[in-house]
Amino acid sequence: MTALTRKEKKAVMNYLYGLTTVCYNSYYDVVNRRHISSKRSMKRALKLRNIQDSNQLKTELDWLLNEGKRAEFITCRNELILIPENDRQEYIQSLPNEKKVKMTLTNHYYARLSAENIIAVDYSLCILFSLFGLKLGLLTKEDAWNYMLKAARLAQNAYSSWTEYMTACLIGFQFYHNDEESLTSFVKYRKAFITKLIVSKYSPIQKVKWDVKI
């Protein structure tokens, strides 16, 4: 954040927030910044990831930056490519439900997407959890900003627009679902939610350009 004017710093903060908006539960929560208004909700969100102290949080942030859900996509993809295309559906249907969902997703996307195409979800969570850590006293200001800016720069280099980034997040978040019913419900709702984030003039991402200096 060195050598930035006040206006530039505000733009960076808006940018970081924009990158996390896909993690929220609703458009209302996004506009009202509900995730960062309550320490109780921040603690609850981290606890769901088994994060209760600084070391656990840093381990999670490093995992999101260096491995994340894209590693699961790569593992599934590498397994699928060993199976003849005509036999894949039969193989997938024979799997336990949780793995079947992940392999179905991978089979649907892997020929069209690289692992980098779902990396957006890892960056969005890294920034959000870094902010939580700062507000909860689990991270120093320096550590939190280092994590957030690293994730933001990686995201900016990986995608060319807010639309591309948001679309990648929609795909990436699907890999957090372990059953078909929850996945179907998630996709139906999230498509509408992300569309509103992209097109609404009140959306936080309308306040800052994708290629802002960070």
Side-chain angles (χ1 to χ4, degrees):
M1 295 286 286
T2 57
L4 295 183
T5 65
R6 179 181 294 183
K7 183 177 180 180
E8 288 172 334
K9 184 176 180 179
K10 183 178 180 181
V12 170
M13 294 177 72
N14 285 336
Y15 190 74
L16 292 172
Y17 182 64
L19 291 170
T20 67
T21 53
V22 290
C23 302
Y24 284 53
N25 293 322
S26 70
Y27 183 76
Y28 175 83
D29 287 348
V30 167
V31 173
N32 292 279
R33 303 196 176 208
R34 291 286 294 275
H35 261 341
I36 55 176
S37 63
S38 166
K39 287 188 176 182
R40 179 181 296 179
S41 64
M42 288 186 274
K43 287 180 180 178
R44 184 166 57 246
L46 292 180
K47 191 174 182 179
L48 289 172
R49 312 278 292 210
N50 297 314
I51 299 169
Q52 295 181 310
D53 60 39
S54 177
N55 288 334
Q56 290 172 335
L57 177 56
K58 287 181 178 179
T59 297
E60 179 74 6
L61 296 176
D62 288 334
W63 177 79
L64 287 167
L65 285 174
N66 300 310
E67 187 174 349
K69 274 294 175 180
R70 59 197 180 276
E72 186 172 10
F73 176 80
I74 292 170
T75 299
C76 291
R77 180 194 64 190
N78 290 345
E79 184 175 343
L80 274 179
I81 60 178
L82 297 175
I83 302 170
E85 188 171 354
N86 292 337
D87 298 333
R88 285 176 191 162
Q89 280 300 332
E90 182 178 353
Y91 169 72
I92 291 170
Q93 292 305 313
S94 72
L95 296 171
N97 188 57
E98 181 176 338
K99 188 171 183 181
K100 180 168 69 175
V101 170
K102 301 296 174 64
M103 293 296 274
T104 298
L105 283 170
T106 304
N107 193 43
H108 180 70
Y109 287 116
Y110 93 93
R112 294 176 286 168
L113 302 173
S114 67
E116 288 68 29
N117 285 100
I118 68 166
I119 205 172
V121 65
D122 298 326
Y123 295 151
S124 64
L125 289 171
C126 180
I127 295 168
L128 186 67
F129 293 159
S130 296
L131 181 59
F132 287 1
L134 176 61
K135 289 183 173 291
L136 294 173
L138 297 177
L139 294 177
T140 65
K141 186 176 182 180
E142 180 180 4
D143 283 344
W145 277 103
N146 283 340
Y147 277 116
M148 289 191 289
L149 290 177
K150 183 174 182 178
R153 287 167 180 150
L154 288 168
Q156 194 175 66
N157 288 333
Y159 304 100
S160 62
S161 68
W162 282 112
T163 298
E164 188 177 317
Y165 171 82
M166 293 290 177
T167 302
C169 281
L170 175 63
I171 296 170
F173 269 121
Q174 292 177 49
F175 282 82
Y176 279 91
H177 291 264
N178 298 321
D179 65 84
E180 293 181 23
E181 185 177 350
S182 70
L183 176 60
T184 300
S185 176
F186 168 83
V187 172
K188 182 179 179 181
Y189 171 74
R190 282 282 152 170
K191 278 186 177 179
F193 172 49
I194 288 177
T195 298
K196 194 166 186 179
L197 283 176
I198 294 170
V199 304
S200 173
K201 66 179 180 180
Y202 301 109
S203 171
I205 69 174
Q206 300 296 338
K207 297 179 180 180
V208 58
K209 293 181 179 180
W210 175 255
D211 58 354
V212 67
K213 177 183 176 182
I214 53 176

